[in-house]
Amino acid sequence: MSFALHGIGVSGGIAIGRAQLVSHATREVAHYTIPQSQVPAEIERFGTAVREVQRELEGLHAALTSGDVPGEFGAFLDVHWMILNDPTLSEAPKRIIADQRCNAEWALALQMNVLVEQFEQIEDSYLRERKADVVQVGERVLKRLMGRPGTLPAPSAEEQTILVAHDLSPADVIQFKHHHFGAFLTDLGGASSHTAIVARSLNVPAVVATHNARHLIRDGEMLIVDGSGHVVIVNPDRAVLAEYRLRQNEFDLARQKLKRLRSKRAETLDGMRIELQANIELPEDIEQALQNGATGVGLFRSEFLFLNRSGLPSEDEQFEAFRKAAAGMQGKPVTIRTFDLGADKQAEQFDGLARVAPNPALGLRAVRFCLAEPRLFLTQLRAILRATHYGNVRILIPMLASLSEIDQTLAMIARAKETLREQNVPFNADVKVGGMIEIPAAVLSIGAFLRKLDFVSIGTNDLIQYTLAVDRSDEAVSHLYDPLHPAVLRLIGLAIGGAAKADVPIAVCGEMAGEPQLTRLFLGLGLREFSMHPSHLLGVKQRVLQTDVSSGAALIDRIRRIDEPDKLNALLEKLNG
Ligand code: PEP
Ligand code: MG
């Protein structure tokens, strides 16, 4: 039976392929079939992950026994050790891999489900509760596996694989960068959630907030995912399939055409030079940024270096990632945002710190978290400073709400510089430090902020969330998440105006920056720097090239004064007309 599901298209384009359901196991785990020839390697990958967790537990045990720690922690680790080494956990998944020719994560998740069910049958309540230990141990192994994903068989161009999940965290999605899925859809998620943002960076169509796709779609069913049309068609008939194949070709053709603009200067018809920079999550993304003509990196979301791993990234590891990005951009600016963990980006290492917050988006997130963990912050600041020696690196502080956070961060940077000087490590002492404007309080304090910062960048994703009190990742309120709410536009206008007055560079790096239908609006408000996902750069550049800023001034004036959203839409259409 053919039917359609509607959601929020968070990444444009059309994909046609077969559904692959992502499991509901202890966490969302990908499931894919591997060729027979890959079975031994997959079994080995599982074995390696188990051995790594064995070593991890041994390390923890050694640390505990050498310290002044209560004995029950040792006993607790012993239980985990026993569970890990029991063949039901360490051997059974190998048989599942061989029998079902599936990936190791899936085999382990299946076996964990079996074990959990067995534990639930146990009458003795103490033993029954050991089920939580089984899950914890299994998850440790899963994390190891996910940190080193297996090789997915390359899908044929005709038959792509489309992931269907209930929900995916940004950490889950980033792993798919190494895999080649045609598209993905989730039941949950908001348009500006980090999951959606990472989905965009995979360059595949994605639709979130489909509500019950995971229940309604079966493994292997044919799907059309139309990210631009916000729709998923399940089991399309021939005519619909033919129509979408045509649209898919048109979309690809239009994308190809845009590529011609890659090395063209972004300049408006009235001669204003515009900076179009890229948002990246990992240093590897530099390639895509350059392919799309980015004139710099306006936002490197450094927190992604902390996800999908059991230990923390060392100073050297972070430095290497930043150095790679800085060198790759060949002198163009690379703006490294200090890690913005918390809320929907939870690093496993910090369990208990941010996750237990009653309202994580208002809790210990971003700069608040950095300042609460000065050792981690200092490590990262040293890594960024070291990278300044290898390119044009700038530091960006996320989620500032008050001047004291700027002062404390600047003091930390000074301290990091001091330690590097003492060790004769080279760095650029004049490194520019900027702040993200993502909270209404920051906009309303912009004058004072600009006296302390070298540049600012408006994070519209959070600015909308915090202005309208709408959780950006909650699909239940996604209809209220309105980038064009007059209050949001007013705040953006205030920030841009304040920065112009103080002669401090200002950019927009939220998702709004990548929407060509908003380009003229931003230009009219005085914005000259945009940072967005690389795949949006050429579409926005095209719009810049077609814009005469001065001729839109009267309309922009009216937009600034408008307080009714309906009228605003009409004016925006006129501006874009
Ligand atoms: C934003 O909030 O607009 C932003 C760019 O940062 P992030 O999406 O990573 O929170
Ligand atoms: Mg933000």
Side-chain angles (χ1 to χ4, degrees), residues 33 36 39 43 92-102 107:
T33 310
Q36 186 62 41
V39 166
I43 290 178
K94 294 182 184 171
R95 268 201 311 283
I96 298 176
I97 296 171
D99 293 347
Q100 301 193 12
R101 286 206 285 112
C102 63

Side-chain angles (χ1 to χ4, degrees), residues 5 74 103 112 143 158 162 169 208-209 221 224 254 271 294 304 306 311 318 337 350 416 421 462 488 536-537 575:
L5 292 167
N103 54 316
M112 280 164 70
K143 283 172 201 165
E158 302 273 291
I162 294 174
S169 72
V208 302
E221 276 185 320
I224 295 173
F304 280 89
F306 288 69
Q318 293 187 60
R337 174 172 78 186
F350 307 122
R421 259 188 220 109
D462 278 315
V488 172
H536 294 163
L537 282 165
L575 188 68

